[in-house]
Amino acid sequence: MKFIKQTGLVVFLIGLAFFIGIIFTGSFSLTPQELDTFISEKGYKSEVIKEELSKAIVNQKDLNIFAFSTKVITAFETSNNHYDALIKKYNAEKNWTKKGEQYKYKISGKLRSTSFALAKKAGKGFAPNNTGLAWFLTFGLGIIGALLYIVPDVVLLGKPGIKNDGIFLNAATNRGWIGWFAFIFLVTFYILLYFYPDFIINWVYLVDPISKSISGNPASQWFLYGFLYCTVMTVMAVRMYIKYRNNKYQILRTTSVLFFQIVFAFLIPEILVRFDKPWYDFKNAFPLDYDFFFKWNLDELLASGTFGLFILVWGVVLTVVVVPVMVYFFGKRWYCSWVCGCGGLAETLGDPYRQLSSKTLLSWRVERIVIHSVLIFVLVMTGFALYTFVSGANQVIGIKTQTIQDIYGFLIGSIFAGVIGTGFYPIFGNRVWCRFGCPLAAYLGFIQRFKSRFRITTNGGQCISCGNCSTYCEQGIDVRAYAQKGENIVRSSCVGCGVCSAVCPRGVLKLENGPENGRINPTEILLGNDIDLMGLVNKK
């Protein structure tokens, strides 16, 4: 079994090497006809851009993706700079007519996205010409190797039961060199995904046939991400099934998050696109789905007729009715640990790192400040968005709504949720985003803390202070401190993953949904030097 496990590791690393290396393969150039078609599709009116792109990428040889991208972006910047100079010139001459005419020649939008679209048409080489083989050498070997590494644990771990032996001696799970390598890889991946999609065009080619079979469209970087997301969760779910095979709660919730991610967050939205319907994840509630009330989304939904109106109503009902009612009866665990895709990745891919979450009081203070600040930010931004949508204005009290949306999208939607939220798993634990940044988690937690039937009850007399519960709490809660005092655990950050209960050797902890009365039962610890104990006894 150990040989199979070691073989699996080697196969996985070979697949990972192919996956990384394939970025640097292939060449990129367009024919004059392909460039004309692209410019026509985009509706560009600038003659400068056609001239610059012709010189840069038409009939060029041996241009790799990095050189191609640089030339494309330079061409667009040259074109825009040309018309900016004309605008400045006509402005100085006070020729307002000529000045106004120049704006229609300027090219707006993210240049990296435009470069991605051009690269998708221009690619030639191993990845686009041998998609099946390239997929096997990357995704295929990665999946096979990971499963060969994971499955032997059915035998090697012995009898059913949670085994965390040597977890702080392993370089992959104690912030050792393997953990730092994983951190660098994940952070780099998210930076490329969000900010340099054209650089990963060869990865996108790998899933083109899959995308066309589901949605009927070529793959984008977001389809690649969705497919990779589901693949990683599925493989790591196998690990969860093996590790927690003695615990029905863990098996059920792992199956649940896997189902909701694959079906609701990936397959259904892509199938909707195939039938010319809006792409929509029916389980993604506001304010996690922060752009739900943006003008472009509302316009798209309203333009989609009855189905778009249904999505709009469902999104509002989900946020205002379904979420609070479910939290009242079951706590935030119903969403964060059973439905949410972010939580699903944290509970599968992130499970090996749950012990790395900080349990310090400072972390708790920072957590409360940051996560509620993000919630306030998204609520204010949404208020601005709705006002401008209804009024037709583009700003509120002198602040442009688009500026606020861009800031939130960059800082929270990309950097916090992606680069930090997942990339920092191997260093800061698996729930960095859920704990510190998710506005929906803040909303759910607020309801859970003050109006819910959920709590984790403790049997303090059975606690032996082993500390397993606190060590493996991914949300950084010092569970042992509650257990030692026999207090119910009622914290807004608790996602009800149940691992604290699963790793307790004495059965001290139990997840319950009961009456609200008595769910918060603080017990003060009295010390002899703080109080006259005899006076207290006589008083009683």
Side-chain angles (χ1 to χ4, degrees):
M1 285 296 174
K2 288 185 178 180
F3 174 76
I4 295 175
K5 195 175 179 73
Q6 292 169 352
T7 301
L9 179 60
V10 172
V11 172
F12 174 79
L13 291 176
I14 292 173
L16 180 62
F18 273 116
F19 186 71
I20 295 173
I22 207 168
I23 288 181
F24 305 94
T25 64
S27 61
F28 296 82
S29 67
L30 291 175
T31 64
Q33 294 76 20
E34 289 172 332
L35 179 59
D36 288 340
T37 301
F38 178 81
I39 291 175
S40 176
E41 290 174 350
K42 292 293 184 179
Y44 295 151
K45 298 180 180 180
S46 167
E47 288 297 323
V48 177
I49 189 58
K50 181 177 180 180
E51 180 184 346
E52 291 296 324
L53 287 175
S54 296
K55 291 188 296 184
I57 61 174
V58 169
N59 294 332
Q60 296 291 324
K61 293 183 179 180
D62 301 325
L63 278 182
N64 60 33
I65 185 57
F66 306 103
F68 177 87
S69 175
T70 300
K71 287 178 175 291
V72 168
I73 290 174
T74 300
F76 277 91
E77 289 176 343
T78 300
S79 176
N80 282 341
N81 289 340
H82 172 79
Y83 292 106
D84 281 337
L86 289 177
I87 290 171
K88 185 176 180 180
K89 173 179 177 292
Y90 292 129
N91 184 64
E93 296 174 356
K94 297 184 179 181
N95 188 339
W96 314 126
T97 303
K98 284 288 187 180
K99 176 185 175 182
E101 289 177 355
Q102 307 312 310
Y103 286 101
K104 67 182 179 182
Y105 299 115
K106 290 197 63 176
I107 298 168
S108 59
K110 297 179 180 179
L111 295 184
R112 289 288 174 185
S113 297
T114 305
S115 175
F116 174 90
L118 267 171
K120 195 73 186 296
K121 296 177 178 293
K124 301 169 184 65
F126 180 66
N129 297 338
N130 303 276
T131 307
L133 177 59
W135 189 94
F136 174 77
L137 292 175
T138 52
F139 280 94
L141 290 182
I143 294 169
I144 293 170
L147 290 176
L148 287 175
Y149 183 80
I150 291 169
V151 172
D153 282 344
V154 173
V155 175
L156 295 177
L157 290 179
K159 295 180 179 180
I162 300 171
K163 308 294 194 305
N164 285 314
D165 301 353
I167 200 165
F168 283 105
L169 301 176
N170 190 324
T173 54
N174 74 342
R175 302 188 183 99
W177 70 270
I178 298 178
W180 281 100
F181 174 81
F183 161 75
I184 293 170
F185 176 81
L186 288 172
V187 168
T188 302
F189 171 80
Y190 275 94
I191 289 174
L192 292 174
L193 178 72
Y194 282 109
F195 307 115
Y196 299 93
D198 45 343
F199 287 176
I200 59 173
I201 194 70
N202 281 324
W203 288 349
V204 178
Y205 284 132
L206 302 179
V207 293
D208 256 343
I210 301 172
S211 177
K212 290 175 181 177
S213 66
I214 299 175
S215 69
N217 298 315
S220 67
Q221 76 265 35
W222 302 117
F223 183 90
L224 165 72
Y225 182 47
F227 179 80
L228 187 60
Y229 204 103
C230 293
T231 301
V232 170
M233 274 188 62
T234 302
V235 172
M236 292 301 287
V238 175
R239 175 188 173 277
M240 293 287 288
Y241 290 140
I242 294 172
K243 181 177 180 180
Y244 296 99
R245 61 190 184 277
N246 67 313
N247 191 301
K248 290 183 180 179
Y249 184 81
Q250 301 301 325
I251 296 297
L252 286 173
R253 75 183 186 90
T254 298
T255 304
S256 176
V257 294
L258 195 60
F259 168 78
F260 278 102
Q261 173 59 35
I262 294 175
V263 176
F264 280 83
F266 184 64
L267 291 178
I268 290 179
E270 294 294 335
I271 292 172
L272 287 175
V273 172
R274 190 179 192 92
F275 293 97
D276 296 322
K277 302 298 182 182
W279 192 102
Y280 184 68
D281 178 357
F282 284 92
K283 67 172 181 54
N284 202 9
F286 174 85
L288 179 58
D289 185 9
Y290 64 89
D291 57 6
F292 184 78
F293 293 105
F294 285 7
K295 185 178 185 303
W296 63 265
N297 188 56
L298 293 176
D299 287 339
E300 181 181 10
L301 293 179
L302 294 175
S304 299
T306 305
F307 186 77
L309 187 60
F310 169 75
I311 291 177
L312 181 60
V313 173
W314 166 250
V316 174
V317 171
L318 177 63
T319 301
V320 178
V321 179
V322 176
V323 164
V325 169
M326 291 293 285
V327 173
Y328 173 76
F329 285 105
F330 304 107
K332 65 191 288 186
R333 61 173 169 164
W334 81 270
Y335 191 87
C336 296
S337 287
W338 287 73
V339 173
C340 180
C342 300
L345 190 68
E347 294 294 344
T348 51
L349 176 64
D351 182 71
Y353 309 112
R354 61 172 53 250
Q355 69 279 355
L356 300 178
S357 62
S358 174
K359 279 79 179 177
T360 64
L361 185 59
L362 175 62
S363 295
W364 186 21
R365 288 172 177 166
V366 172
E367 169 191 333
R368 287 179 291 175
I369 293 171
V370 174
I371 195 169
H372 291 106
S373 297
V374 173
L375 177 60
I376 293 171
F377 189 172
V378 76
L379 291 177
V380 171
M381 177 182 67
T382 301
F384 279 28
L386 288 175
Y387 173 80
T388 54
F389 176 77
V390 174
S391 67
N394 65 351
Q395 58 183 15
V396 182
I397 58 173
I399 303 173
K400 289 186 176 181
T401 302
Q402 188 61 50
T403 301
I404 298 178
Q405 293 173 356
D406 290 343
I407 292 173
Y408 187 93
F410 174 76
L411 292 180
I412 310 301
S414 299
I415 298 295
F416 207 156
V419 178
I420 295 175
T422 303
F424 280 42
Y425 279 4
I427 305 302
F428 292 137
N430 60 322
R431 286 275 190 171
V432 179
W433 164 245
C434 310
R435 182 180 175 187
F436 292 94
C438 178
L440 181 57
Y443 171 44
L444 296 170
F446 189 81
I447 300 171
Q448 175 173 276
R449 177 65 177 78
F450 296 104
K451 196 66 178 176
S452 177
R453 295 165 60 89
F454 173 72
R455 86 291 309 272
I456 300 178
T457 59
T458 61
N459 182 357
Q462 293 288 338
C463 180
I464 59 174
S465 299
C466 67
N468 280 352
C469 52
S470 293
T471 298
Y472 296 104
C473 176
E474 59 193 359
Q475 291 294 111
I477 301 172
D478 188 1
V479 181
R480 178 173 59 179
Y482 289 88
Q484 288 172 331
K485 294 184 288 184
E487 289 185 23
N488 291 341
I489 301 167
V490 181
R491 285 274 287 271
S492 60
S493 60
C494 178
V495 294
C497 69
V499 170
C500 60
S501 175
V503 298
C504 177
R506 301 280 289 173
V508 173
L509 306 163
K510 185 178 180 182
L511 281 68
E512 293 186 1
N513 302 309
E516 285 189 77
N517 294 334
R519 68 188 286 265
I520 300 177
N521 59 336
T523 303
E524 294 184 0
I525 298 178
L526 304 179
L527 301 177
N529 57 346
D530 293 332
I531 193 170
D532 182 354
L533 295 178
M534 289 305 300
L536 182 64
V537 171
N538 292 332
K539 182 178 179 180
K540 289 185 176 181

